[in-house]
Amino acid sequence: MSKKAVLGVLAAAIAVAYGGSTWWAGTQIKSSYDVALGELPQQTALVRVIERSYERNFFGAVSTVTLELGCPAEAEAATAPAASAPAAAPAADTTDVAQATTEGDEEEPTEDDSDAKATPPKPVRITFRDTIRHGPFAGGTLAAAVIDSELVLDAKAQAEAEKLFGKAKPVTAHTKVGFGGGFTSDLTVAPAKLAEEGKGEFAWQGAQARLDMDAARTRLRYDMTMPGMDINTASKGVQVKVGKFTAKADMDGSAGWLLATGKSEGRLDSFELNAPKGLMPGGEGAAPAKSIKVLLQNVDLIAEATIKDGLYASEGAFKGKGKVNETAIDKFEIASSARRIQAAGYKKLADAWLQSTDGAGCGQRSKGQKDAMQALIKQLAPDLKAMAKHSPEAGLDRMLIEIGGQSAEISYSVALVGVTDEDLKLPGNTLLLQRGVLKANARVPVKWIEKLAETGAESGQTPPPEMVAGLIEQAEENGYVKRAGDDVVSQVEFSEGQLKLIGKPVGSPLGK
């Protein structure tokens, strides 16, 4: 065979291989879209796929999907007078490019009864368009596909968006899909600005995020940055300035995303609030509201969750430093946690709740909807009781403020302890009384109480500072508090049906 013939055969083989790879990539991407969109409505009753199209050719495809967010139309109709309830349009698969629709233009019915407030808001529809280029060389990148995503807006929505974002696209994403099925997405939200004369200004510097997801869609890593935001209100003179916020996480959702495990952390450089006229206007004849300035700095957010031996545990903390008017806050911290939550039972409860429009708060005025809610709660009761055997516990581990070398702290926890199979036969209220445990602790410096009394006495809202010592002594004699050095502490506990204050029983045990 001649050299020319060999080269021809080789070129043909490469073309066939490339064509086969492109066809395979296109098939895999289409299959991934079908699976993802099929699973989405199963996660929650508040998200529905209304319209979708997938126009595919050899080198790429265009996918257009319209999602409806919120209570379904039939739930809204169930709470409205029959004469004003429109028929719900059925979901449809179409090959036409969908356009976003603007909901809520119609006048809502006027109702005199107080239950009108329970009517769910109208659902919102959002349309996304993905322009897909098939691999193996997609857009000059070695990948199964490269996808560029954007919002699709109708003329009215586009005009409203331009008031905020100008000519920039509000939300875009660039995704690279690997041959194994995992993907990396770079998401961008455009900066937004709005100024109205006599009302105020809003300026947001946008956001950027990178997400890495594995092929099974159970492992997610992300990094996010929001450069900042400014809000000014002309009438009240309130100014809010939010500094740079960053966040990152490495999460495992194999047990379900509501039970995602892993670590996440974030940092807010600063938060400033300046209200020269105060936040709450006084009534007629009232003294002018006092100005307030709040500054928070170097705020860290940390969270971690684990599942071990089938039990879920999570903990989170929010801490930093700051200043309120002229008072410097050396440190503040809020930490909470949950422990020994049976993962399987919690997932079953959460899934049932999310998949129910009743659990989502849709149609609460309808007697039928209320009956359905009661039935759902009754259905889930056995699983809730079964979780009690694992001694679940949750609470506020610590809320601490430190000023001038002194600190105040409060904490509480609620738990079920020592639940047996025999206990599970009891009514829910009886079970809580016999096996429920509540603990709460508080510690406050005496000097802080005196300072609060001094400030309040100026307006006549608190006793004068010289009475504080006597009031504390009286509370200590009554067993409500006790002195611990320079602090006043108090402890409350409820267990085995008995209430205790600082370790001493109060009254007779309940439920016995």
Side-chain angles (χ1 to χ4, degrees):
M1 182 180 291
S2 67
K3 183 177 180 180
K4 187 175 181 180
V6 171
L7 290 175
V9 171
L10 182 59
I14 292 174
V16 170
Y18 183 85
S21 299
T22 302
W23 176 85
W24 174 86
T27 301
Q28 291 297 106
I29 296 300
K30 175 65 166 62
S31 177
S32 297
Y33 269 77
D34 291 341
V35 171
L37 292 174
E39 291 178 349
L40 186 61
Q42 300 174 18
Q43 306 302 314
T44 171
L46 298 181
V47 179
R48 295 164 297 284
V49 179
I50 298 301
E51 293 182 82
R52 56 174 296 204
S53 68
Y54 197 93
E55 299 174 341
R56 177 183 170 188
N57 57 42
F58 184 75
F59 293 103
V62 175
S63 169
T64 307
V65 178
T66 298
L67 301 179
E68 187 174 72
L69 312 179
C71 295
E74 56 268 23
E76 180 189 351
T79 65
S84 62
D93 287 339
T94 175
T95 56
D96 295 330
V97 175
Q99 295 291 320
T101 60
T102 304
E103 300 289 338
D105 290 340
E106 301 86 355
E107 290 187 7
E108 297 206 19
T110 302
E111 298 180 351
D112 295 330
D113 59 285
S114 59
D115 284 342
K117 296 180 180 179
T119 302
K122 289 181 177 294
V124 176
R125 292 188 179 184
I126 302 177
T127 299
F128 295 93
R129 179 167 56 220
D130 295 338
T131 301
I132 305 163
R133 287 171 286 178
H134 297 155
F137 298 103
T141 302
L142 186 62
V146 169
I147 305 170
D148 289 300
S149 307
E150 61 182 315
L151 280 174
V152 180
L153 304 173
D154 61 18
K156 182 178 179 180
Q158 181 64 38
E160 292 298 318
E162 289 184 3
K163 293 179 182 179
L164 283 171
F165 302 99
K167 295 298 182 181
K169 295 179 178 180
V171 181
T172 59
H174 180 77
T175 302
K176 177 181 176 181
V177 183
F179 292 102
F183 63 85
T184 298
S185 288
D186 290 307
L187 176 70
T188 301
V189 181
K193 188 173 183 178
L194 180 65
E196 295 187 12
E197 187 175 353
K199 293 184 178 180
E201 297 181 358
F202 166 81
W204 187 48
Q205 298 176 35
Q208 302 82 38
R210 167 164 285 194
L211 299 85
D212 291 298
M213 180 77 81
D214 68 351
R217 297 196 296 281
T218 58
R219 191 66 182 263
L220 171 67
R221 290 186 296 273
Y222 72 78
D223 288 275
M224 179 178 66
T225 300
M226 292 192 294
M229 177 178 66
D230 295 301
I231 302 173
N232 297 313
T233 62
S235 59
K236 296 182 179 180
V238 177
Q239 299 176 327
V240 176
K241 185 177 181 63
V242 182
K244 182 180 179 181
F245 176 73
T246 58
K248 62 181 181 179
D250 189 345
M251 305 167 66
D252 183 347
S254 54
W257 286 108
L258 286 174
L259 288 167
T261 58
K263 296 181 179 180
S264 58
E265 58 184 74
R267 185 177 181 86
L268 176 64
D269 287 351
S270 64
F271 172 88
E272 299 178 54
L273 168 67
N274 183 17
K277 301 178 183 178
L279 294 175
M280 300 296 293
E284 186 176 350
K290 292 185 177 181
S291 64
I292 182 170
K293 289 184 179 180
V294 177
L295 171 64
L296 304 180
Q297 294 177 304
N298 302 328
V299 180
D300 291 318
L301 300 92
I302 304 170
E304 183 173 7
T306 59
I307 294 179
K308 184 177 181 181
D309 298 328
L311 299 179
Y312 177 80
S314 67
E315 57 184 12
F318 170 85
K319 54 186 177 181
K321 62 180 182 178
K323 189 176 183 180
V324 177
N325 291 338
E326 300 305 317
T327 302
I329 300 174
D330 304 322
K331 177 183 178 181
F332 66 84
E333 180 178 1
I334 300 174
S336 61
S337 64
R339 294 174 285 276
R340 299 182 298 278
I341 310 297
Q342 184 195 30
Y346 177 80
K347 186 176 187 305
K348 184 176 180 180
L349 291 171
D351 286 346
W353 198 263
L354 288 173
Q355 291 166 15
S356 165
T357 56
D358 311 304
C362 298
Q364 292 184 6
R365 275 197 323 151
S366 162
K367 183 180 183 303
Q369 294 284 351
K370 289 182 179 180
D371 291 343
M373 173 70 92
Q374 293 294 332
L376 176 64
I377 294 174
K378 186 176 181 180
Q379 172 192 339
L380 299 178
D383 297 289
L384 192 59
K385 283 188 175 182
M387 293 172 65
K389 290 184 63 177
H390 299 277
S391 300
E393 181 181 356
L396 178 69
D397 299 334
R398 181 171 55 261
M399 184 166 72
L400 178 145
I401 298 178
E402 183 177 312
I403 299 173
Q406 291 186 312
S407 63
E409 182 175 353
I410 64 173
S411 63
Y412 69 84
S413 64
V414 291
L416 287 170
V417 178
V419 176
T420 65
D421 289 332
E422 195 66 24
D423 291 329
L424 295 181
K425 299 176 183 178
L426 298 171
N429 290 339
T430 305
L431 175 63
L432 288 175
L433 286 174
Q434 293 191 5
R435 298 301 183 183
V437 175
L438 166 67
K439 295 181 180 180
N441 298 274
R443 177 178 57 81
V444 182
V446 175
K447 287 186 177 181
W448 290 20
I449 299 176
E450 293 174 344
K451 182 64 176 177
L452 289 172
E454 180 182 340
T455 303
E458 296 175 359
S459 58
Q461 296 177 349
T462 62
E466 56 268 20
M467 293 183 60
V468 168
L471 292 173
I472 292 176
E473 183 177 345
Q474 183 179 353
E476 190 170 8
E477 290 175 356
N478 291 331
Y480 299 141
V481 301
K482 67 178 180 179
R483 292 288 293 261
D486 295 330
D487 299 332
V488 172
V489 300
S490 186
Q491 300 169 343
V492 177
E493 180 179 338
F494 179 86
S495 59
E496 298 181 345
Q498 178 68 63
L499 177 65
K500 298 178 183 177
L501 281 175
I502 316 181
K504 296 182 180 179
V506 177
S508 302
L510 300 176
K512 293 186 179 180

